[in-house]
Amino acid sequence: GAVVSQHPSRVICKSGTSVKIECRSLDFQATTMFWYRQFPKQSLMLMATSNEGSKATYEQGVEKDKFLINHASLTLSTLTVTSAHPEDSSFYICSARAGSYEQYFGPGTRLTVT
Amino acid sequence: GENVGLHLPTLSVQEGDNSIINCAYSNSASDYFIWYKQESGKGPQFIIDIRSNMDKRQGQRVTVLLNKTVKHLSLQIAATQPGDSAVYFCAEGGSGNQGGKLIFGQGTELSVKP
């Protein structure tokens, strides 16, 4: 149990375009999902906390107008990178919280902006 | 910030030896600690967790030790195997962090030599 999926696993987009990444909890309901980004050889950096039915809470330094988060249902959260630029190229990972503390991670999405 | 762009420390061990990976955490109010394993290009996988009311917890081939006095966490892997090669992250969470967020350590890259 506690499987989290992400789609797509890899995406290449042109600079200036937008790209949407989906995060789904497949066998449980998640009132809270988290979005991270990870650069090569670095740790996971929390970008935002996504609560079902309410606005996401962004970490300091993360532009909410650039990284749009929607958590429309208990099993789906989406991250849209708007007007992507090469510096947005990164590994984006979501997690879903099942209980008080447990977080289950998705397999990640590799975004490359050309 | 919690995540600094440092190069990952590495640990190289011989197959069959025991591995010890260390982590210093930052928030004395954290009451939940987790170790994750991350293979290249994948999301983090849960290994083992421990609550602050414990100082040791054992799983299959893994043991986590918690020293709250010095805010130190360690992961011991017995009889390390080539399949254990990955990056290992500790994470802290709980009542000291808003919304059940996890704060990740910088990670350690474990390399197992056959």
Side-chain angles (χ1 to χ4, degrees):
Chain A
V3 178
V4 176
S5 70
Q6 281 184 241
H7 178 81
S9 57
R10 290 177 177 269
V11 58
I12 301 172
C13 71
K14 291 186 176 180
S15 188
T17 62
S18 296
V19 60
K20 180 187 286 188
I21 302 169
E22 293 186 347
C23 177
R24 293 181 186 273
S25 56
L26 297 185
D27 50 3
F28 66 101
Q29 293 185 330
T31 54
T32 305
M33 290 183 173
F34 301 88
W35 286 96
Y36 299 81
R37 68 186 297 182
Q38 185 179 33
F39 292 107
K41 297 293 185 181
Q42 293 189 22
S43 187
L44 281 74
M45 185 188 80
L46 179 65
M47 299 174 67
T49 302
S50 168
N51 292 299
E52 187 265 337
S54 64
K55 289 184 178 180
T57 303
Y58 290 80
E59 295 299 301
Q60 192 172 11
V62 178
E63 299 175 61
K64 61 182 179 182
D65 294 331
K66 182 168 182 62
F67 298 100
L68 301 178
I69 291 171
N70 185 279
H71 193 158
S73 78
L74 287 171
T75 59
L76 173 65
S77 177
T78 60
L79 168 68
T80 301
V81 183
T82 62
S83 187
H85 291 285
E87 57 265 30
D88 298 324
S89 298
S90 190
F91 194 50
Y92 291 87
I93 308 171
C94 72
S95 70
R97 193 170 73 188
S100 297
Y101 301 123
E102 296 86 357
Q103 286 188 29
Y104 298 94
F105 284 82
T109 296
R110 175 75 60 193
L111 170 63
T112 303
V113 184
T114 61
Chain B
E2 296 92 354
N3 297 312
V4 182
L6 300 174
H7 192 76
L8 283 175
T10 58
L11 174 65
S12 183
V13 300
Q14 203 71 37
E15 180 179 1
D17 287 352
N18 297 332
S19 303
I20 299 176
I21 301 171
N22 296 302
C23 176
Y25 64 92
S26 57
N27 191 339
S28 56
S30 293
D31 57 11
Y32 178 61
F33 305 89
I34 316 103
W35 280 100
Y36 288 97
K37 172 186 180 183
Q38 187 180 28
E39 296 174 293
S40 182
K42 298 183 179 180
Q45 286 178 276
F46 173 91
I47 301 173
I48 192 168
D49 60 1
I50 188 169
R51 300 287 169 103
S52 60
N53 60 354
M54 302 171 71
D55 52 24
K56 180 179 180 179
R57 190 166 185 220
Q58 289 184 290
Q60 189 176 17
R61 276 203 310 120
V62 295
T63 301
V64 55
L65 298 177
L66 174 63
N67 185 331
K68 294 182 288 294
T69 303
V70 295
K71 294 191 285 187
H72 183 268
L73 198 64
S74 69
L75 176 70
Q76 300 177 2
I77 304 173
T80 314
Q81 302 167 1
D84 295 326
S85 294
V87 178
Y88 290 80
F89 293 99
C90 68
E92 58 180 303
S95 58
N97 303 308
Q98 288 183 333
K101 295 190 297 186
L102 291 178
I103 299 171
F104 278 78
Q106 68 174 111
T108 296
E109 184 168 13
L110 177 65
S111 174
V112 182
K113 295 178 285 187

